[in-house]
Amino acid sequence: MKCGHKEGVNTYGRHLYTFLAALSLLVPVLRAALGQNSPAPQPEAAQLMELANRARAQAGAQPLHWDSALAEAARKHTLRMAAEGPIAHRYPGELDVSERAGHAGAHFDLLEENVAIAATPEAIHDGWMRSKEHRDNLLNPQVNRVGIAVLSSRGVLYATADYSRGVEPLSQEQVEARIGGLIQTAGVKIRPDRSLARAACAMTGGFPRSADSAGPGLVIRWQDSNLSQLPKGLVDNLASGTYHEAAVGSCEPKGVEGTFTMYRIGVLLY
């Protein structure tokens, strides 16, 4: 039996169930400890990651990197699966996959999950590769991190693999410094006072009130998980030569479901 599931920001994939066997098992014995602080996977999990990366290489996708927080989320869910018997992505009273991963400490803007029950890691991998949805999750070129947990009971294995596109965790000040650095490369000076920009960031429109009569000429707001580049509208305005100073503020993102990581920024141009 195997099951695949995909989640992204405001996007939830369907569940797919393919029955390979009908088994009812007792609570499992954990074969090897997996925790958030563990730097390496257990042997069966490592084998599944190796098989996945071989398949990804053949498909032209970059390799997956181990994420111990995802592995901890996968471990807890695998324990629950084995205790329940029939596998699923969520049981009554259980958090959904994005909440499990977020509470375990993972940072991501795209999340997918495969679960399975089979006799060996090879059989688990083969089952995932034979199912389009599971194969799509495993080979998705947009994901770059994985956490896998495998539990043994009565000669079979329960497995959970959580795949994500990782997001660098940044504080409010780090976000502002990152964006400020990109703006400075355009020759625009960054104002040290961030309070007005933070207020503008939290707004959905309009200009924040300012004691300074010479308020900003333009306010640009956006949110993204990738802070490696500025939005085109801001780039074009910086290149126009109209503005010579900027203030940068970060605030809580809006409209983000679950525990997906997203950053919201407001930039005032003077």
Side-chain angles (χ1 to χ4, degrees):
M1 179 178 178
K2 57 183 184 294
C3 183
H5 183 56
K6 178 180 292 186
E7 294 199 13
V9 176
N10 296 325
T11 302
Y12 290 82
R14 61 186 176 86
H15 290 189
L16 173 68
Y17 296 90
T18 303
F19 292 90
L20 301 180
L23 297 174
S24 179
L25 303 176
L26 300 177
V27 177
V29 176
L30 184 60
R31 296 183 65 178
L34 260 183
Q36 186 174 344
N37 297 322
S38 300
Q42 64 190 114
E44 295 89 348
Q47 186 175 356
L48 282 171
M49 185 170 72
E50 181 181 359
L51 291 168
N53 280 334
R54 286 181 188 174
R56 288 174 66 86
Q58 292 175 355
Q62 293 297 310
L64 298 169
H65 299 282
W66 184 255
D67 189 305
S68 57
L70 289 178
E72 175 62 12
R75 182 189 71 84
K76 290 182 178 179
H77 182 64
T78 308
L79 280 167
R80 180 68 183 269
M81 280 200 308
E84 294 283 348
I87 64 174
H89 289 287
R90 189 178 186 182
Y91 297 99
E94 185 183 30
L95 298 175
D96 68 28
V97 59
S98 66
E99 292 172 317
R100 296 195 301 265
H103 288 193
H107 295 269
F108 50 87
D109 65 357
L110 174 65
L111 184 66
E112 305 171 343
E113 181 175 83
N114 283 350
V115 300
I117 180 173
T120 65
E122 293 89 348
I124 291 169
H125 176 77
D126 184 63
W128 286 342
M129 292 297 290
R130 290 177 181 272
S131 161
K132 183 182 185 304
E133 185 173 5
H134 299 81
R135 184 175 64 252
D136 288 349
N137 285 349
L138 192 152
L139 299 180
N140 188 350
Q142 297 187 65
V143 300
N144 53 21
R145 304 190 68 82
V146 67
I148 304 172
V150 181
L151 298 175
S152 174
S153 179
R154 294 195 178 184
V156 296
L157 302 175
Y158 283 92
T160 301
D162 288 337
Y163 313 93
S164 78
R165 179 169 59 202
V167 175
E168 182 181 7
L170 299 172
S171 68
Q172 183 182 36
E173 291 76 14
Q174 288 173 323
V175 170
E176 293 164 348
R178 183 76 56 87
I179 297 302
L182 293 174
I183 292 174
Q184 284 179 312
T185 62
V188 173
K189 180 182 177 182
I190 300 299
R191 292 190 173 190
D193 187 354
R194 303 170 177 173
S195 57
L196 196 62
R198 288 178 175 178
C201 176
M203 299 171 62
T204 57
F207 287 74
R209 293 185 179 181
S210 172
D212 186 353
S213 58
L218 183 66
V219 179
I220 295 180
R221 306 173 181 88
W222 77 97
Q223 57 189 50
D224 203 339
S225 58
N226 181 1
L227 302 184
S228 64
Q229 59 185 13
L230 300 173
K232 185 179 185 303
L234 178 54
V235 172
D236 291 345
N237 277 283
L238 293 174
S240 70
T242 304
Y243 305 102
H244 305 287
E245 292 186 331
V248 180
S250 178
C251 60
E252 289 294 317
K254 298 182 182 297
V256 178
E257 297 181 2
T259 57
F260 294 93
T261 299
M262 189 72 60
Y263 300 111
R264 182 174 175 86
I265 305 100
V267 172
L268 310 181
L269 297 179
Y270 298 86

